[in-house]
């Protein structure tokens, strides 16, 4: 978007000849690049589901439109209309309200009296209407005033720049600012169909919807329109624009028009053409570099009369909109978004990232994920549940032990992801980049997409300054801690919205970065499709205690080993299975040996989400032994809710964060850091069948009410609101996850 804004700022100062030479050079390259989808995109010929056909059983439809760009075009409007009328055609003329000319009321009146239509073409036609939502919203009342005064039903934006969500602020029956395929336009993403379709209004309250303003309420269109806030019809042009075909591409004949006309007729679609009177040269006029023979347009009209007489429905745009809006069901087209996710983690084991990515891919969006590669046998590129996973950096071998060794791979990943994302965005722009920390500065990988119009979400899995101080015992008052907080603030500033993984951290993060107005909470809600009780299929009589997660000091797995040594003495058949990796793993393996637990404690490598779900379901109890005097005191543990959803009772350390979300009705708490207390809690759960049933039943109810299914619509709405330029819903506060005691009493 930034490059378009810059271009339209300097455009008035660039001579027409220079602009056209640059456009022609770019068009030659694009024509070869898009030869399989322009001028005909075969996929666009598929009719919408349930499409009933055209009125009176006609094979296809015809809509003729004209955009009048300057005084020269204004002077030719009546002559062009008379030419069309002489052949039995009628069309729509779109005038610029505040352009380089004033549209005489007499001309508009004559056109309407002769059966033509008048529409509104942009406001100033300077390429600046869509610079920001605020700017568009400020101009909408003026556009609506002209719609009302001219008795117009439709709108078309200048240069086909558009935001279909913003058009709901206009009192229109239809918009005509899109196309089926046209790589030569500055906003070149086509809608991929040769049929009209319905754009429903987003759900909103009256106070939130700008169309409920008094000025909008006074609009009384001349022609029938859908009910207020219901939506509008989108009419894409399906034949190339005359200016593109004859001025930019310098085609010597209308053969492309004629060939595509035949193709659309064969597919029963809508032929919609945009001809500019400004560029049409009549026989008695002197040809010029900025014009083409009007005979090209006449040849198209004659082809329609001679080859397709009686086979097409000739409609004005408002008639097409009325027909489409009246269909049951209305044809609605989903526009897949291009989403990029960046995570310095293993995608296949990172539940938080996979939830978002798969939710977007499941509704049809294209999702690229740039992540780490965990093992040599893992492919660098893989499609998982329709998500394109690009593993751009290896991370296998020993865990990083020093500050430098820890930071260097992060910086390398930032550089690689920045290069990859920039290249892919250049060829196929992303609509949204969702960046997952750690580290915070990874958001810089989204800089180029951000500058060119993409939205950016920064997802705070862990608060970096506290995590770093805990990992390297650097304290919270030194220079490093202050630098990390500075990076945190700058990273937050680059993002359009911030997601934080729990409420305690949201409060702290928002206060430090000043982002309370664009900061919301998405805890690691359990994916109930993956984590479900029916996965349990073990019946071998063993007793298995399980810890799945990172092997860092704050996780307290060493405390769990000491506790298990006591449990093992009481229940010799018990086993402690540990799935994970991290800096503490060698120490923990040595500790298990020192405690004489080598036969009963088993260490496993991390596995994919579907595999770990089945492994966890077959445990007798799960343990989450985090230290309350460390980073773990505020770090929400995903595994608690996953154990609960699997029907596995879980023993949890009394940390601030876990007592915030849970109580003794759904988990068994123990005093943090106390190995004896943990052993007692594990033994109590293992020995008391009634306690296990109570915890399991309560936990299943709690996890079902707070599953990912309950939050997925909120995430998709957040994405859609950002892309539409709307303010997201106010961030959900403490009510997001209900207290277990309240839930279980209802």
């Amino acid at each position: 978007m930034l490059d378009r804004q810059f271009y339209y700022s300097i455009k008035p100062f660039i001579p027409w000849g220079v602009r056209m030479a640059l456009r022609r050079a770019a068009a030659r390259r694009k024509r070869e690049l898009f030869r399989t989808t322009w001028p005909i995109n075969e996929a666009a010929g598929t009719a919408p589901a349930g499409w009933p056909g055209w009125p009176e059983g006609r094979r296809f439809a015809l809509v003729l439109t004209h955009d009048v760009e300057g005084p020269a075009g204004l002077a030719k409007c009546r002559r062009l209309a008379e030419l069309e009328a002489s052949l039995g055609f009628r069309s729509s003329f779109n005038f610029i309200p505040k352009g380089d000319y004033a549209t005489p009321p007499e001309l508009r009146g004559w056109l309407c009296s002769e059966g033509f239509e008048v529409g509104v073409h942009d406001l100033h036609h300077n390429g600046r209407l869509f610079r920001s939502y605020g700017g568009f919203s400020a101009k909408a009342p003026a556009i609506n005033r002209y719609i009302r005064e001219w008795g117009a039903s439709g709108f078309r934006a200048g240069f086909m720049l558009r935001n279909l969500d913003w058009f709901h602020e206009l009192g229109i029956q239809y918009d005509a600012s899109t196309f089926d395929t046209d790589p030569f336009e500055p906003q070149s993403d086509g809608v991929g169909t040769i049929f009209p379709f319905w754009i429903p209004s987003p759900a909103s309250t009256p106070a939130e919807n700008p169309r409920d303003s008094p000025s909008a309420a006074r609009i009384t269109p001349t022609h029938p329109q859908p009910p207020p806030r219901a939506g509008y019809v989108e009419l894409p042009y399906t034949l190339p624009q005359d200016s593109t075909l004859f001025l930019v591409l310098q085609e010597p004949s209308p053969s492309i028009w004629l060939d595509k006309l035949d193709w659309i007729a064969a597919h029963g679609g809508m032929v919609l053409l945009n001809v500019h009177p400004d560029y049409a040269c009549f026989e008695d006029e002197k040809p010029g570099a900025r014009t083409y023979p009007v005979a090209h347009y006449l040849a198209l009209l004659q082809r329609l009369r001679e080859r397709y007489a009686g086979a097409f429905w000739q409609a004005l745009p408002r008639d097409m909109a009325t027909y489409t809006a009246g269909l049951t069901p209305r044809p609605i087209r989903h526009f897949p978004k291009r989403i990029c996710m960046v995570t310095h983690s293993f995608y296949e084991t990172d539940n938080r990232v996979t939830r978002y990515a798969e939710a977007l891919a499941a509704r049809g969006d294209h999702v690229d994920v740039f992540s780490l590669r965990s093992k040599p046998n893992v492919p660098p590129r893989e499609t998982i549940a329709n998500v394109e996973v690009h593993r751009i950096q290896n991370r296998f071998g020993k865990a990083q032990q020093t500050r430098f060794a820890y930071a260097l791979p992060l910086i390398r990943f930032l550089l690689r992801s920045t290069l990859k994302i920039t290249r892919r965005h250049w060829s196929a722009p992303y609509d949204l980049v969702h960046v997952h920390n750690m580290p915070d500065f990874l958001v810089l990988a989204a800089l180029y997409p951000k500058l060119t119009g993409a939205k950016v979400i920064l997802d705070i899995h862990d608060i970096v300054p506290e995590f770093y101080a805990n990992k390297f015992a650097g304290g919270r008052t030194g220079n490093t801690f202050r630098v990390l907080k500075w990076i945190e603030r700058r990273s937050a500033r680059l993002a359009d919205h911030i997601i934080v993984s729990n409420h305690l951290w949201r409060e702290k993060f928002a206060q430090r970065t000043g982002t309370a107005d664009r900061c919301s909470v998405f805890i690691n809600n359990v994916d109930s499709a993956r984590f479900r009780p029916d996965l349990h299929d073990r019946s071998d009589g063993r007793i298995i205690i399980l810890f799945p997660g990172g092997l860092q000091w704050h996780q307290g797995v060493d405390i769990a080993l000491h506790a298990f040594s006591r449990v093992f003495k009481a229940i010799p058949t018990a086993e402690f299975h540990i799935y994970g990796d991290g800096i503490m793993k060698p120490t923990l393996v040595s500790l298990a040996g020192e405690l004489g637990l080598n036969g009963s404690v088993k260490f496993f490598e991390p596995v994919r989400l579907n595999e770990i779900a089945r492994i966890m379901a077959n445990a007798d109890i799960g343990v989450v032994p985090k230290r309350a005097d460390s980073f773990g005191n505020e770090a929400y543990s995903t595994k608690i809710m996953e154990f609960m959803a699997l029907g596995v009772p879980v023993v949890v350390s009394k940390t601030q964060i876990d007592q915030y979300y849970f109580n003794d009705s759904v988990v068994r708490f123990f005093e943090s850091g106390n190995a004896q207390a943990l052993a007692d809690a594990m033994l109590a759960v293992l020995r008391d069948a009634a306690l296990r049933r109570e915890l399991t039943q309560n936990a299943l109810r709690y996890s079902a009410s707070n599953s990912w299914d309950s939050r997925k619509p909120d995430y998709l709405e957040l994405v859609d609101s950002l892309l539409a330029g709307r303010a997201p819903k106010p961030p959900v506060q403490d009510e997001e996850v209900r207290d277990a005691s309240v839930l279980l009493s209802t």
Side-chain angles (χ1 to χ4, degrees):
M1 182 177 291
L2 185 65
D3 48 356
R4 289 201 298 267
Q5 291 180 1
F6 176 73
Y7 171 75
Y8 286 111
S9 296
I10 65 172
K11 180 186 174 185
F13 308 103
I14 304 175
W16 181 88
V18 174
R19 296 201 313 267
M20 186 55 64
L22 293 173
R23 288 190 64 188
R24 286 169 179 168
R28 285 193 293 271
R29 180 180 62 85
K30 288 187 175 182
R31 188 168 186 174
E32 175 61 23
L33 187 63
F34 294 95
R35 64 184 183 278
T36 60
T37 56
W38 188 91
I40 292 174
N41 179 3
E42 290 291 345
T46 302
W51 181 253
W54 300 106
E56 302 174 6
R58 302 299 173 93
R59 284 175 53 191
F60 66 100
L62 173 69
V63 180
L64 302 174
T65 70
H66 307 290
D67 290 350
V68 183
E69 294 195 350
L74 184 71
K76 298 179 184 180
C77 287
R78 185 159 183 160
R79 188 172 185 180
L80 189 61
E82 289 172 343
L83 172 65
E84 292 172 337
S86 68
L87 297 173
F89 295 97
R90 295 295 186 274
S91 61
S92 171
F93 287 79
N94 302 314
F95 298 103
I96 302 171
K98 295 186 177 182
D100 296 333
Y101 61 89
T103 307
E106 296 80 12
L107 175 60
R108 298 198 307 270
W110 179 84
L111 287 169
C112 293
S113 67
E114 294 297 316
F116 293 82
E117 182 181 342
V118 170
V120 174
H121 186 31
D122 209 272
L123 184 59
H124 298 282
H125 202 276
N126 57 12
R128 302 176 186 176
L129 184 60
F130 296 92
R131 281 191 166 188
S132 68
Y133 173 71
F136 178 87
S137 188
K139 295 179 176 67
I143 297 173
N144 283 330
R145 184 172 66 252
Y146 284 101
I147 290 172
R148 180 183 67 248
E149 291 176 358
W150 294 359
S153 298
F155 177 83
R156 176 179 280 151
F159 311 106
M160 302 300 161
L161 301 175
R162 61 200 176 275
N163 186 312
L164 300 186
D165 291 289
W166 297 1
F167 287 148
H168 291 293
E169 294 200 21
L170 304 181
I172 55 175
Q173 186 180 2
Y174 69 87
D175 168 69
S177 307
T178 60
F179 39 82
D180 63 331
T181 175
D182 192 342
F184 311 108
E185 286 299 306
Q187 191 173 336
S188 59
D189 49 320
V191 295
T193 183
I194 56 173
F195 293 85
F197 54 93
W198 178 254
I199 304 288
S201 290
S204 59
T205 63
E208 293 172 337
N209 197 316
R211 293 187 67 190
D212 291 332
S213 64
S215 60
R218 289 194 297 269
I219 298 173
T220 53
T222 303
H223 301 281
Q225 287 193 306
R229 298 198 295 144
Y232 63 89
V233 172
E234 185 62 31
L235 303 178
Y237 66 76
T238 56
L239 294 188
Q241 293 192 67
D242 58 345
S243 54
T244 300
L245 207 56
F246 304 122
L247 302 186
V248 177
L249 299 178
Q250 297 180 291
E251 286 291 312
S253 75
S255 60
I256 288 180
W257 270 354
L258 303 180
D259 290 345
K260 191 165 184 183
L261 164 63
D262 294 342
W263 180 81
I264 295 174
H267 287 77
M270 174 183 66
V271 175
L272 196 153
L273 176 62
N274 182 22
V275 166
H276 299 76
D278 309 67
Y279 311 134
C281 180
F282 288 87
E283 291 181 355
D284 57 350
E285 294 179 322
K286 183 179 179 180
R290 302 191 187 193
T291 62
Y292 67 91
V294 75
H296 292 346
Y297 181 45
L298 183 60
L300 176 70
L301 299 180
Q302 289 173 339
R303 169 70 67 90
L304 285 161
R305 280 169 51 91
E306 295 168 3
R307 179 173 296 186
Y308 295 108
F312 62 91
W313 176 46
Q314 216 265 286
L316 292 172
R318 67 185 179 221
D319 301 324
M320 180 64 68
T322 300
Y323 174 72
T324 306
L327 294 177
T328 304
R330 290 167 172 161
I332 296 178
R333 189 162 185 81
H334 173 68
F335 298 101
K337 305 300 182 183
R338 286 185 53 80
I339 312 292
C340 172
M341 292 202 176
V342 190
T343 176
H344 188 260
S345 68
F346 307 130
Y347 174 78
E348 60 272 17
T349 61
D350 194 328
N351 184 45
R352 188 170 179 87
V353 182
T354 58
R355 282 197 329 246
Y356 296 130
E358 291 182 1
L360 293 164
R363 71 173 189 175
D365 294 336
H366 176 88
V367 184
D368 287 330
V369 176
F370 296 93
S371 65
L372 294 173
R373 186 177 177 212
S374 59
K375 298 176 183 177
N377 62 342
V378 174
R381 182 172 179 177
E382 185 179 8
T383 300
I384 304 175
N386 294 322
V387 176
E388 294 291 330
V389 182
H390 306 261
R391 301 181 178 95
I392 61 174
Q393 183 169 302
N394 297 335
R395 193 178 81 177
F396 35 84
K398 293 183 178 180
Q400 301 91 353
Q401 300 286 340
T402 67
R403 289 175 171 83
F404 179 77
Y406 182 76
L408 188 60
L410 298 177
I411 296 171
R412 188 184 304 122
F413 186 82
L414 169 64
L415 296 176
R416 286 181 174 174
S417 58
T418 300
L419 181 61
K420 295 283 187 181
I421 293 168
T422 299
R423 283 178 174 175
R424 292 182 73 86
H425 183 76
W426 177 264
S427 60
Y430 289 115
D431 298 291
L432 172 76
V433 182
H434 187 154
V435 181
H436 300 264
N437 91 334
M438 302 182 24
D440 296 336
F441 61 70
L442 197 55
V443 75
L444 290 172
L447 182 59
Y448 175 67
K450 167 78 172 180
L451 292 175
T452 53
K455 298 299 182 182
V456 177
I457 292 176
L458 175 59
D459 201 310
I460 304 299
H461 293 212
D462 295 309
I463 293 188
V464 172
E466 283 77 3
F467 178 87
Y468 186 86
N470 179 80
K471 184 177 182 69
F472 295 108
R476 304 191 179 195
T477 57
N479 290 333
T480 301
F481 193 78
R482 284 193 289 271
V483 169
L484 291 174
K485 289 201 296 184
W486 180 86
I487 293 174
E488 182 181 68
R489 291 194 298 272
R490 294 302 181 271
S491 300
R493 184 175 298 178
L494 185 59
D496 295 285
H497 197 84
I498 295 113
I499 293 174
V500 186
S501 61
N502 71 63
H503 290 86
L504 299 184
W505 279 354
R506 179 197 180 276
E507 183 179 350
K508 180 179 293 187
F509 185 91
Q511 184 178 18
R512 289 203 307 223
T513 59
T515 56
D517 60 331
R518 52 190 178 92
C519 187
S520 54
V521 173
F522 281 81
I523 67 167
N524 288 334
N525 299 84
V526 66
D527 184 351
S528 56
R530 276 197 173 95
F531 295 87
R532 57 188 195 275
D534 64 356
L535 294 176
H536 178 84
D537 57 8
R538 183 174 65 86
S539 58
D540 54 15
R542 294 182 297 164
I543 295 177
I544 295 177
I545 300 168
L546 184 68
F547 173 84
L551 302 182
Q552 291 86 29
W553 183 79
H554 72 268
Q555 296 285 9
V557 182
D558 56 320
I559 300 170
L561 285 173
H562 283 288
F564 179 73
S565 68
R566 294 170 170 84
V567 173
F568 182 67
K569 292 176 183 178
I571 309 177
T573 58
E575 298 177 16
F576 186 18
H577 293 187
I578 299 171
Y579 283 81
D581 204 353
I583 195 170
M584 286 286 293
K585 187 170 185 177
T587 303
L588 295 171
V589 172
S590 298
L591 178 59
E594 293 170 8
L595 295 172
L597 302 173
N598 283 340
S600 55
V601 174
K602 299 180 181 180
F603 290 87
F604 300 90
E605 293 298 314
V607 299
R608 296 194 175 205
L609 288 173
N610 290 339
E611 298 175 60
I612 197 62
R614 185 172 298 279
I615 290 167
M616 292 171 65
N618 282 297
D620 291 284
I621 62 171
V623 291
V624 180
K626 294 181 300 178
R627 286 181 161 90
D629 57 348
S630 69
F631 175 78
N633 192 45
E634 296 179 353
Y636 181 90
S637 175
T638 310
K639 302 307 176 187
I640 297 176
M641 194 91 81
E642 290 173 351
F643 276 124
M644 294 165 64
L646 291 164
V648 177
V650 56
V651 178
V652 179
S653 170
K654 284 186 177 180
T655 59
Q656 182 181 0
I657 187 64
D658 294 324
Q659 290 183 98
Y660 182 93
Y661 289 113
F662 310 110
N663 63 27
D664 285 306
S665 65
V666 292
V667 300
R668 182 61 181 256
F669 278 118
F670 72 94
E671 181 186 355
S672 177
N674 188 329
Q676 184 61 56
L678 174 53
D680 292 341
M682 288 193 288
L683 287 170
V685 174
L686 289 170
R687 288 170 170 170
D688 190 337
L691 174 61
R692 287 199 305 274
R693 283 195 300 272
E694 181 182 359
L695 289 175
T696 298
Q697 291 171 1
N698 292 342
L700 284 172
R701 291 170 56 192
Y702 181 84
S703 61
S705 296
N706 294 289
S707 69
W708 171 236
D709 287 339
S710 69
R711 289 308 318 270
K712 179 166 60 176
D714 297 328
Y715 172 70
L716 297 177
E717 164 59 24
L718 169 62
V719 169
D720 290 342
S721 63
L722 286 173
L723 297 182
R726 305 190 309 268
K729 291 179 180 179
V732 182
Q733 300 299 325
D734 293 348
E735 294 79 12
E736 178 193 292
V737 174
R738 290 177 285 178
D739 182 87
S741 60
V742 175
L743 172 71
L744 297 172
S745 66
T746 59

